[in-house]
Amino acid sequence: MRQRKAKDLEKRMALCEELILTGFAPETWETAFARAGDLYLEIGCGKGQFIIKRALLAPDSNFIGIEGQATVVLRAAEKARAVSGKAPWPENVSGEETLMELQGELDNLKLGAGFVDTMDEFFRESQLSGIYLNFSDPWPKERHAKRRLTHRRRLADYAWAVRDGGFIEFKTDNDGLFDFSLEEFEACGDRLEVVELTRDLHGKNCTYESRYVTTEYEDKFSSRGKNINYIKVIVNKE
């Protein structure tokens, strides 16, 4: 769903300039962060709850959240500034209870507006330690299958950018998209090894760590009893 342009977008984006990058290239990440560390990417970070919490929980690693719409990126950046104590909590933005208990510096987080068509536009081979795909657009029409972020062509491209032993994680509430995605992961063969898989991430018998780091969308639908599908694969390059 397309978001309305935020009021005073440019002015508010400027206030978040320490978090928001205006351009991406493989060399960007060498100087973007205060210190070196493993680099993780969320494609489609939405309003930022997931990637902010990841950054707070792992201060020695670096995190990137990319989202297609600038207004949504702004929401994530304003939320991050509030968590780091640099601004009040933004109005009409959820997630305060989830994040404010983990307040801290976020010099290991960068956000940006854009679409990841091919990984080599943004990263070098094996530059990433992990990729998160959370509640991606299902593109339900069959003729649009190649646009799905878990199409085998895209998965192979992600694997190119992730180091040997790194991972790709995928969450979705869309059961049809998950069925499709399982076939696409399998089509990648031994290059992507499944290490975690469930159709009910928040079920009482699931103990995967990923259930504790959620998106706004995930909180909303799991609270209504909707099952959350999840898979984690390890990249094998040898």
Side-chain angles (χ1 to χ4, degrees):
M1 181 175 67
R2 193 166 183 83
Q3 298 279 326
R4 291 183 180 179
K5 183 177 179 180
K7 184 179 180 181
D8 299 323
L9 176 64
E10 289 78 16
K11 181 179 179 180
R12 289 162 64 187
M13 293 280 273
L15 291 174
C16 303
E17 61 180 358
E18 78 277 13
L19 284 161
I20 299 175
L21 296 177
T22 57
F24 309 99
E27 60 272 16
T28 301
W29 317 113
E30 296 172 359
T31 57
F33 298 99
R35 54 190 172 277
D38 287 341
L39 188 61
Y40 298 93
L41 168 70
E42 183 183 11
I43 300 176
C45 67
K47 295 177 182 177
Q49 177 174 296
F50 179 90
I51 201 68
I52 291 170
K53 189 169 184 180
R54 283 289 179 198
L56 289 168
L57 291 172
D60 293 330
S61 296
N62 295 317
F63 295 84
I64 307 160
I66 295 180
E67 173 60 46
Q69 300 181 50
T71 294
V72 182
V73 172
L74 173 63
R75 300 295 187 195
E78 290 182 333
K79 185 180 294 186
R81 293 190 80 230
V83 169
S84 60
K86 298 178 180 178
W89 192 261
E91 295 182 4
N92 302 318
V93 175
S94 62
E96 183 172 8
E97 292 182 359
T98 300
L99 291 172
M100 292 307 281
E101 62 185 25
L102 293 172
Q103 279 186 313
E105 289 297 324
L106 283 167
D107 56 1
N108 62 334
L109 173 66
K110 297 298 178 184
L111 303 166
F115 294 95
V116 181
D117 292 321
T118 59
M119 297 298 287
D120 61 3
E121 294 180 83
F122 299 87
F123 303 100
R124 296 191 179 94
E125 184 175 5
S126 302
Q127 193 170 19
L128 295 171
S129 291
I131 292 177
Y132 302 101
L133 306 171
N134 292 320
F135 302 92
S136 310
D137 190 333
W139 290 101
K141 294 182 180 179
E142 189 59 36
R143 68 175 183 272
H144 293 151
K146 289 185 178 180
R147 298 185 183 183
R148 298 169 190 161
L149 296 191
T150 51
H151 186 274
R152 65 191 67 182
R153 176 180 59 83
R154 289 187 178 270
L155 292 175
D157 195 30
Y158 302 150
W160 173 86
V162 173
R163 63 170 174 79
D164 185 53
F167 64 81
I168 301 169
E169 289 188 11
F170 173 58
K171 292 182 184 180
T172 181
D173 66 310
N174 189 298
D175 299 329
L177 176 61
F178 195 63
D179 290 338
F180 166 85
S181 301
L182 292 181
E183 293 180 2
E184 299 302 289
F185 279 109
E186 184 177 358
C188 293
D190 294 339
R191 191 174 189 186
L192 298 179
E193 177 188 356
V194 177
V195 292
E196 295 179 353
L197 172 64
T198 180
R199 290 183 180 271
D200 192 7
L201 182 61
H202 297 283
K204 63 180 181 180
N205 295 321
C206 183
T207 59
Y208 294 150
E209 181 271 345
S210 190
R211 65 178 285 156
Y212 302 109
V213 184
T214 59
T215 74
E216 296 91 341
Y217 192 93
E218 185 174 356
D219 288 343
K220 176 181 177 181
F221 282 89
S222 62
S223 70
R224 296 178 180 178
K226 178 67 183 76
N227 67 295
I228 303 300
N229 304 286
Y230 167 75
I231 185 173
K232 178 177 182 178
V233 299
I234 297 298
V235 175
N236 296 315
K237 293 196 170 182
E238 294 183 357

